[in-house]
Amino acid sequence: MKASGRTDTALGLGTPRGPVAALTKILVYAMLVAVFAGPLIAVLVSSLDRVTDPTKLSFIPRHFTFDSYRVAFDRGVFKYLLNSLVVVGGGLLLQVLVSVSAAYALARKRFPGARLVLLLILSTMMLPEEVLAIPLSLILGDLPVLHVSLLNSLVGMIVPVGAWGMSILVMTEFMKEIPIELEEAARIDGAGEFRLFWSVVLPLCRPALGVIGIFGFNMIWDQYMLPLLVARDSAQYTLSLALRTLRDDPEVGIGVLLAGSVLALLPSIVVFLSFQRQFMRGLTSGAIKG
Amino acid sequence: MLRARLRGYAVAWFFLAPALLLFTYFKFIPMARAIEMSFYEVRPFLGDRWVGGANYETVVTSDDVLAALGHTLVFAVLGTFGSIVLGLLLALLLEGTARHLWFIRTVVFLPTVAAGAVVAEVWRILYYPAPEGTVNSVLAWVGLGPSQFLNASDSALPSILAVIVWHGAPYNMMIFLAGLAGVDRSLYEAAAADGASIPRRIWHITLPALRPVFAILFTLAALRGLRIFTEVYLLTNGGPDSSTETLMTLIYKLGLERNELGVAAAGSVLLLLATAVLTLAVQAARRREATS
């Protein structure tokens, strides 16, 4: 085997030498794009085409039309999308506030029991929510002590995602890096505890807020089991749940499902593309450190 | 002095309170309740009846559960293996700083950001089992198929497995890419100077450098595999002929459709134990590796 002179990557695939190498490379890239983006593109394009039967997905629209979307909106897709946005908006706001607050205590305060709390939070990351679904559905129906039911309401999908171990840990790691001198200076200036948290520490956390924000968004948008347990009738369906009921719409065939899928797909793609940098940072800091 | 310190403690607990409250309600109480329920015949409105280990006995002796356990393990093992191998391959192919590589990486990553429910619906359409179905048409170009995909009991499981790998591999690719970025380039230079071939270079330099990444990905992917639910629930709901039933879809059916809450809870507790054991085992292995 011939030794490779290029040493910038593992495979040493730099500028290809010769037309055959270049062509191979382009073919490989085209295949990767087709395999990974092809299905998504087919759904997007077909949702804008007149598709009536599921065997004829199109990659090039033949009869461009918004019919599928029109019927989808008639079938309440707007309401489901709104539900999804309320759940992700409320859930994310709650999750960020809860994480930042807990991280502030864990990173900036010394108190007895801190290690135990950290251990408890780590242990929750070993408790997959799916596995706890059955007891969780009973508890959501009758919260201990408070005796209220969160079933049949969007609140029941928002509150349980409020505390997420991963976002607390990422935030804690970040807050530990903030120099203590800043805190001391603010204290000398007479800042109280809450002011210190809100006006000094929090603004410095902006990069980490981006990271936990995008991860939290993905986590909440991906929720399926929780809405399935909470929603008792279609008025509380999130878009993900509703897709299942849109499968067999006689009016436009699978067009409604295609349109619904695109609407459920777009927010995650838009958020990912806009916050890519933070996403990559979170991915590597969260995963490599372990 | 003491008062100031106590005040500091109070402040800490005040800031921790929301998280602890939510964890207690939605993680710890459900877990305690699952353990409790697993020893009872749960009868809403009639009062629960203590049955000791009977639920566990039902779980471990039931053929349904054993079959579901088998499918779950297939998903966990092959799904993990497939998405890690494909992820590594993608990372090796798409490593580099060129702008077009950045673009292709982004495109390849898109499936991973899509929610599981959307992925499942998209693939249900693509897998349409007629010869004119989208995937079947593509297979026909290369002289394969047509396949029944999700509709036949021998092809349903591999079809779901393919979706899982498609959905999960790009995530692993990104983590591998981060790991590859940390490889010392001078080692490659030295290897090239010694005339080492690319496979040798990967075997002796790249893979050893990625070892910690592999450990993390194995844990993450295996845990994901054990609790797989959304994709199976939407793609086949365990069918045809229970050929894709997993522990989670079975637990869901037992608990919420057949109202066998006690048995479902026993299944959950066992799955929870498996998850905990797996995580701790990998943690311990990593620690041993770090110290040796």
Side-chain angles (χ1 to χ4, degrees), chain A residues 8-255:
Chain A
D8 53 343
T9 62
L11 291 187
L13 301 170
T15 327
R17 285 156 293 184
V20 179
L23 199 67
T24 318
K25 216 167 123 174
I26 290 171
L27 271 175
V28 169
Y29 291 160
M31 212 177 77
L32 291 182
V33 171
V35 168
F36 287 95
L40 305 178
I41 295 170
V43 169
L44 175 66
V45 172
S46 307
S47 74
L48 293 166
D49 201 350
R50 185 168 298 135
V51 216
T52 45
D53 77 279
T55 66
K56 302 217 164 44
L57 285 194
S58 39
F59 289 90
I60 302 150
R62 280 157 295 204
H63 309 280
F64 185 86
T65 168
F66 282 109
D67 271 4
S68 297
Y69 288 89
R70 194 180 45 73
V71 179
F73 280 104
D74 288 344
R75 298 293 182 275
V77 161
F78 184 71
K79 190 182 68 197
Y80 303 136
L81 181 62
L82 202 65
N83 281 347
S84 284
L85 292 175
V86 169
V87 169
V88 80
L92 196 55
L93 188 68
L94 183 67
Q95 194 182 86
V96 167
L97 284 176
V98 167
S99 308
V100 164
S101 158
Y104 180 71
L106 288 171
R108 316 294 300 178
K109 302 282 162 218
R110 299 172 137 270
F111 59 98
R115 280 180 66 87
L116 180 71
V117 171
L118 204 61
L119 208 66
L120 281 177
I121 292 175
L122 278 172
S123 78
T124 64
M125 296 171 76
M126 275 199 260
L127 299 177
E129 51 219 304
E130 287 89 349
V131 174
L132 294 178
I134 307 294
L136 184 63
S137 71
L138 297 179
I139 282 154
L140 286 170
D142 179 21
L143 283 187
V145 185
L146 301 173
H147 295 294
V148 286
S149 168
L150 295 181
L151 293 182
N152 240 349
S153 78
L154 297 183
V155 178
M157 307 174 196
I158 292 175
V159 187
V161 298
W164 189 31
M166 181 174 151
S167 114
I168 296 178
L169 289 185
V170 169
M171 206 64 210
T172 304
E173 285 302 312
F174 188 86
M175 276 198 194
K176 278 185 182 158
E177 309 289 315
I178 297 172
I180 189 84
E181 288 77 16
L182 276 172
E183 207 175 299
E184 280 162 358
R187 263 188 219 288
I188 290 167
D189 289 345
E193 198 64 54
F194 190 74
R195 233 189 118 70
L196 191 69
F197 166 69
W198 194 257
S199 325
V200 179
V201 174
L202 211 50
L204 292 169
C205 291
R206 212 168 286 163
L209 286 177
V211 171
I212 66 168
I214 184 168
F215 272 84
F217 174 90
N218 263 356
M219 177 263 201
I220 300 169
W221 196 260
D222 196 27
Q223 288 284 330
Y224 192 82
M225 181 73 101
L226 184 62
L228 190 65
L229 296 175
V230 172
R232 287 296 141 108
D233 56 76
S234 64
Q236 296 95 35
Y237 278 6
T238 58
L239 194 48
S240 284
L241 279 190
L243 288 183
R244 195 165 187 239
T245 60
L246 297 176
R247 272 180 193 168
D248 309 299
D249 197 293
E251 197 167 329
V252 289
I254 58 154

Side-chain angles (χ1 to χ4, degrees), chain B residues 40 81-82 87 126 132 148 159 163 188-189 201 203 207 216 235 259 267 285:
Chain B
Y40 283 90
F81 186 74
L126 296 172
E132 309 86 56
Q148 284 287 307
S159 303
V163 176
Y188 289 154
E189 260 168 58
R201 191 153 104 176
W203 187 253
L207 291 184
I216 299 154
L235 283 169
N259 252 328

